[in-house]
Amino acid sequence: MTKVRRARAAVTVVFGLSGLVFGSWASRIPAVRDRLDISDGELGLVLGAMSLGAILAMPVAGLLSARLGSRRTTRGALMLTALVAGVITAAPSLAALVALAFAMGVAYGSTDVAMNAHGVAVEGRYGRPILASFHAAFSAGGLAGGVLGVLCAQAGIDVRVQAAGVALTVAVVGLAWSRQFLGAAADRSARTDPVFVRPPRRLWALGALAFACLLIEGASGDWSAVYLRDDLGASAAAGALAFTVFSVTMTLGRIFGDRLVERFGSSTVVRAGGLLAAGGFAAALLAATPIAGLVGFACLGAGMSSIVPIVFRAAGSMPGVAAGPGLAAASTVGYGGFLVGPPVIGGVAELVGLPAALGVLVVLGALIVALAPTTRTAPAPAPAGEAAPA
């Protein structure tokens, strides 16, 4: 196995571990809430602290990736994530839980930016698209974490035991595999290179793309089951299936996304994804049946699957902007869409009803189509004397 192949495998593992942490935590949030007997409003404060920590940390992680190299930044952030993930469920009070949630957001947001920066560096050595495969590993890890949480809950395993086991796994496996990362020189900026630069207009457009895509993802997660159950009269099981369908088609899309980009180009894949999402979901809203709803959310998942990896690739390889800060800018703006999407849909639904409010997702799909040309990037050649791996 060549050095670049080992680095690709290592980045894939780290993305999967990051997804495992997310899925494990998300699946046991009710257990954490019940253990401390906190209200839904207090839980919202906890989740808000986590989001705030991630948003504040992402630009810093981008700067660290540029100055220190994404190898060191990713390894440090991943170990911090494992540490906080292992103790957050044992918080003795609401105040402690809020503080640990903020720390978790800092660690997780930093890991997200840094591992994507290293993924871009590895992709550059490959000379062909591979970034979507890393995001597919994240999705698979998230699914595994969710299944683990369900199994532990059914078996009566304490959430603190589960969290400690996941944290230990992430620390041991992550440290071992991340040793195979490329060296710091792969993407570390020279000390004389500026990392504080005025974001070019194209970077703002890429941020808007990430914002639209992640708003659709966040809204699908929070409102798909409600829409099918309350507005379309589906059973509770069918409602729960909606986001599962969305997640499965997104994971499958990411598995094949790199091949599609290699064959058709980034802008074509983004345009097709936006059209599939907007057209498929619009038809589902008009049909207004449970089956159509499931198909509509499947179209959203498939359409959005490759867009974030494509946006990150473009942001991390923009001329005049270091990979870390470029990725941090797109990630921060995109993550804002993930956060504001659910409450925005809820607010609009109060005025015009949920089906009409979900029409916002159709509009965002059309916006993605319009912004697709901003993702076009030149193929990165393999370094001199080194053939691109097959």
Side-chain angles (χ1 to χ4, degrees), residues 218-323:
S220 297
D222 282 18
W223 291 106
S224 55
V226 177
Y227 171 63
L228 260 74
R229 188 177 64 248
D230 294 352
D231 292 275
L232 301 183
S235 65
L241 185 61
F243 188 64
T244 302
V245 168
F246 176 92
S247 300
V248 168
T249 55
M250 174 167 281
T251 302
L252 290 174
R254 286 175 170 175
I255 290 173
F256 296 103
D258 290 323
R259 298 176 189 176
L260 293 174
V261 169
E262 191 172 14
R263 181 170 182 178
F264 300 107
S266 297
S267 59
T268 300
V269 172
V270 172
R271 186 179 296 111
L275 287 171
L276 175 61
F281 197 61
L285 289 174
L286 291 174
T289 66
I291 294 297
L294 291 175
V295 173
F297 283 107
C299 290
L300 285 179
M304 296 299 103
S305 60
S306 297
I307 294 178
V308 167
I310 288 172
V311 168
F312 284 178
R313 175 183 299 117
S317 56
M318 184 170 295
V321 180

Side-chain angles (χ1 to χ4, degrees), residues 208-209 211-213 215-216 274 278 304 345 359-369:
L209 257 176
F211 184 91
C213 182
L215 193 155
I216 290 174
M304 296 299 103
I345 296 298
V360 171
L361 307 189
V362 177
V363 175
L364 290 174
L367 175 64
I368 287 170
V369 174

Side-chain angles (χ1 to χ4, degrees), residues 21 25 80-90 104 160 162-164 166-167:
V21 171
W25 158 258
L80 180 60
T81 298
L83 174 63
V84 182
V87 300
I88 187 172
T89 57
M104 182 74 169
R160 291 167 290 186
Q162 176 190 329
V166 168

